[in-house]
Amino acid sequence: DNNRQSLGGGGGSSGGGGDSGRYSSFMENRAKAAAEKKRGTGGGPGQQQPQAQKVAQRPVSAAPAAVKQARPKIELDKVKNRVKTMTAEWKELQDEKEVLLSFDDFGGDSKLLEEFAGQAGNLIIEDGNESALSMLLVIVKSGKLTQANLETGLMDCLEFLCDIKLDAPLAFVNFGKMIGGLLKASAVSEAWLTNGADKFFGDKKDEVLEQVNLSR
């Protein structure tokens, strides 16, 4: 019996030693795992792991929209000079887009548009300025000058045509080219021309209308 107890005790001691070994191995493995975990997150023993911080992003400001600045309105007494300037630029550049952009400065004001038509008409009749005529036709075809603008603005040209001829011998010829071009573009009416001729041309009516018919 004592031998069995000694063997049994020894066995128990051996069994206890095995359990102790396994426990020690378990604890070592656990410590290693904990150390590896810390190294994997960039921390060391006793170091506090940094918390992820949100980076404040600056709001992306949109590019400022181009602000179209209102161009100063043309004064009525400045229209004559503006017509001459536009005619000179048109003669040099022949740029339809540019001349229409310049014409936009009149802003759709009927008084200014009528004055523009009258001043362009005077330049054509008195000086025979072909650039002024071609520029006028470009603007007319764009629809920026209406029939009402033209017929009202050119009325003085009809009324004083015979007087202008005293100083400008080719006034009837130049008038005929202008009105013939406007009639072809359907920019003025036959009735407007006929009424004006009856009222203002007197005995020169047939001579003037002949020049118009040559150019239509």
Side-chain angles (χ1 to χ4, degrees):
D1 292 336
N2 288 335
N3 287 338
R4 281 196 300 270
Q5 287 176 0
S6 174
L7 288 172
S13 173
S14 174
D19 290 339
S20 174
R22 284 194 298 273
Y23 178 77
S24 296
S25 177
F26 168 76
M27 292 303 291
E28 287 176 4
N29 290 336
R30 184 174 179 182
K32 288 180 182 178
E36 288 175 359
K37 185 175 181 181
K38 287 181 180 181
R39 285 196 299 273
T41 56
Q47 282 188 322
Q48 184 177 358
Q49 298 302 313
Q51 294 183 350
Q53 296 181 353
K54 290 184 178 179
V55 178
Q57 294 184 351
R58 292 182 181 177
V60 178
S61 58
V67 178
K68 186 176 181 180
Q69 306 232 347
R71 295 167 83 161
K73 186 178 179 180
I74 298 172
E75 297 178 8
L76 196 61
D77 61 350
K78 305 294 184 185
V79 173
K80 182 177 181 178
N81 287 337
R82 187 58 180 271
V83 170
K84 288 183 177 180
T85 300
M86 288 177 61
T87 300
E89 291 176 352
W90 168 250
K91 182 179 181 179
E92 180 181 357
L93 303 175
Q94 296 289 305
D95 187 333
E96 292 189 12
K97 183 178 179 180
E98 185 63 31
V99 79
L100 293 177
L101 189 62
S102 294
F103 188 75
D104 285 343
D105 288 349
F106 290 89
D109 185 307
S110 60
K111 291 294 183 185
L112 292 175
L113 298 180
E114 291 162 8
E115 183 69 12
F116 178 92
Q119 293 296 341
N122 288 336
L123 193 58
I124 294 164
I125 295 168
E126 294 175 10
D127 300 338
N129 193 312
E130 294 185 1
S131 294
L133 176 55
S134 62
M135 179 186 72
L136 181 63
L137 292 174
V138 165
I139 295 170
V140 165
K141 289 175 182 177
S142 75
K144 293 178 181 289
L145 267 176
T146 67
Q147 180 175 321
N149 297 148
L150 288 164
E151 291 182 353
T152 301
L154 292 173
M155 188 57 69
D156 284 351
C157 293
L158 271 68
E159 183 175 354
F160 298 108
L161 179 62
C162 294
D163 294 333
I164 294 171
K165 192 177 186 300
L166 297 175
D167 296 319
L170 294 177
F172 287 0
V173 174
N174 298 334
F175 176 85
K177 289 179 179 178
M178 177 178 71
I179 299 302
L182 293 175
L183 285 169
K184 280 197 292 187
S186 301
V188 295
S189 67
E190 292 278 1
W192 170 79
L193 175 60
T194 301
N195 291 338
D198 290 340
K199 187 174 182 179
F200 301 122
F201 295 164
D203 61 355
K204 303 295 183 182
K205 173 182 172 181
D206 290 342
E207 184 180 353
V208 174
L209 294 182
E210 181 182 0
Q211 293 298 328
V212 172
N213 289 331
L214 288 173
S215 299
R216 53 192 311 177

